[in-house]
Amino acid sequence: MCRKDGKIFVDLPKIPSQLDPAHKFEWRLLGVDDAGALADLLHRIEKFDGLPYRTSLDEVKEFFSTAASFIGIGGFVDDVMRAYGHIRVFDEEPVVASCQGGVDPEFRNLGFGGALVSWHTESAQKRLAEIDAESKQIAFNVEEGHRSLEEHLLSYGYEWSRSYYDLRAALDGELPDVELDPFVTIAPWGSVNDKEIIKAVNRIAMDEDGRTETSKWTVEDRAGFTPEWSFVALDNTADRPQVAGFIMASKYAQDWSVLGWREGTIDMLAVLPDYRGTNIAVSLVTATMRAQADSGMEAVLAGLSSSASTSVMSVYDSLGFRTVTTSRMYTLQLD
């Protein structure tokens, strides 16, 4: 590692520094001041690859929000970012080093993809070696059709662990009236404070994977969060209402010009263990669908993991959601 003109540069094995006599890559660590350049690069990549979204500047700035868990590099030619890679470490069990990278379409097929996978893997292994945890893994999310990246990952020993599906439903029809237990109500997001939501997240995590540590998740971590489209299910049988479930929705207006229509996104749907098998999940989804339709949205998007229960899948299916894109998660388990 070295410094030049006040910037930090890093030595990256297997990444060529000389592309041709007119172009020389400079690789350096990224900071929040590079957020604009990274957002511009992401937009070029997303447009060329035909992806149905655009990563906003606010979303990029979130990458840098917790410096201790983030390391990023950028490859610059004439001060324009042409390639990037970053690692975000989530230190709840299991500890995951989530990796992401990309190359400007003008500079592809020059060996950068495989070199970036090498850098991610080596750097994540070093970072995770500093953390005391029983389970540690490195993860890449691969968009559908990126076969070359999958081949690079497989060559380094990564394995497919799960798939993710984007589901979409039109907001042009009648929504069903859902019958709930008389003591359960669907209330606006602000009806409870965020601490109650975090408690609910922790209870669900304990039920699903035995996690005992408290979550560091916060609502503030989510760019685009739209409280008027988000709701909580409250159990009113006790003196003080208890959170039985919740749904978080967001607005990513930068995607609308790419899509050709206006839509909202369901970021998180959760029902606490004691209330599963009820109509709470479908009630929460219909509540946000109505709110989004009233705001002029034409469609709603939701994400679903292949590990999701069949009951959650049936909720979305019953409300007209259909799969539109898929991605695959590859992980490398560390000892």
Side-chain angles (χ1 to χ4, degrees), residues 36-331:
L38 178 54
D40 290 342
L41 173 58
L42 288 171
H43 288 184
R44 294 195 298 275
I45 292 172
E46 290 159 356
K47 182 178 180 180
F48 183 85
D49 291 343
L51 300 177
Y53 57 80
R54 295 292 182 267
T55 304
S56 71
L57 180 59
D58 285 341
E59 290 176 281
V60 173
K61 288 180 178 178
E62 281 188 357
F63 298 161
F64 303 92
S65 61
T66 52
S69 64
F70 174 88
I71 179 173
I73 57 169
F76 292 78
V77 177
D78 298 330
D79 280 333
V80 177
M81 193 184 302
R82 297 296 187 176
Y84 80 98
H86 67 65
I87 302 166
R88 300 170 74 194
V89 178
F90 299 88
D91 60 356
E92 299 172 4
E93 287 285 349
V95 176
V96 177
S98 178
C99 302
Q100 182 178 325
V103 180
D104 191 302
E106 294 184 19
F107 291 84
R108 292 183 178 177
N109 302 315
L110 296 171
F112 287 97
L116 283 169
V117 170
S118 174
W119 176 82
H120 278 108
T121 303
E122 294 174 15
S123 299
Q125 286 174 328
K126 291 178 181 178
R127 178 67 183 90
L128 292 177
E130 301 170 356
I131 299 174
D132 183 18
E134 293 185 4
S135 179
K136 296 181 281 190
Q137 60 185 226
I138 308 171
F140 279 83
N141 189 57
V142 182
E143 300 282 356
E144 187 176 19
H146 285 202
R147 183 58 189 166
S148 61
L149 176 54
E150 290 181 311
E151 291 173 351
H152 289 312
L153 293 171
L154 291 171
S155 72
Y156 276 88
Y158 288 82
E159 296 180 345
W160 171 85
S161 58
R162 69 185 65 178
S163 294
Y164 293 98
Y165 308 97
D166 281 342
L167 315 175
R168 178 175 288 121
L171 294 174
D172 56 359
E174 293 291 327
L175 291 168
D177 292 322
V178 183
E179 184 175 349
L180 282 172
D181 183 289
F183 292 100
V184 175
T185 57
I186 304 300
W189 182 265
S191 301
V192 298
N193 61 46
D194 290 349
K195 290 182 179 179
E196 296 301 316
I197 300 295
I198 294 173
K199 287 180 182 178
V201 171
N202 288 327
R203 285 188 58 191
I204 292 168
M206 290 174 63
D207 175 72
E208 292 181 347
D209 55 26
R211 186 184 303 168
T212 56
E213 296 181 359
T214 57
S215 174
K216 298 180 178 63
W217 172 89
T218 66
V219 176
E220 289 76 11
D221 288 339
R222 297 177 175 269
F225 171 61
T226 308
E228 60 267 29
W229 294 350
S230 304
F231 298 88
V232 292
L234 298 177
D235 182 347
N236 299 286
T237 54
D239 293 338
R240 182 180 178 183
Q242 301 294 313
V243 174
F246 64 89
I247 192 165
M248 289 182 62
S250 295
K251 181 189 301 180
Y252 301 102
Q254 70 273 9
D255 296 345
W256 297 345
S257 61
V258 180
L259 293 167
W261 61 82
R262 296 158 58 91
E263 73 176 16
T265 300
I266 296 172
D267 285 336
M268 187 180 296
L269 170 65
V271 177
L272 272 72
D274 293 346
Y275 301 93
R276 290 171 187 167
T278 69
N279 286 334
I280 287 178
V282 69
S283 297
L284 287 166
V285 176
T286 53
T288 193
M289 290 177 76
R290 285 196 177 95
Q292 293 186 36
D294 290 344
S295 297
M297 298 300 104
E298 301 164 77
V300 57
L301 190 75
L304 196 63
S305 167
S306 57
S307 62
S309 67
T310 55
S311 61
V312 174
M313 295 179 183
S314 65
V315 166
Y316 285 118
D317 184 64
S318 68
L319 293 172
F321 284 80
R322 298 294 179 263
T323 301
V324 290
T325 61
T326 63
S327 62
R328 294 162 66 90
M329 179 69 74
Y330 284 86
T331 57

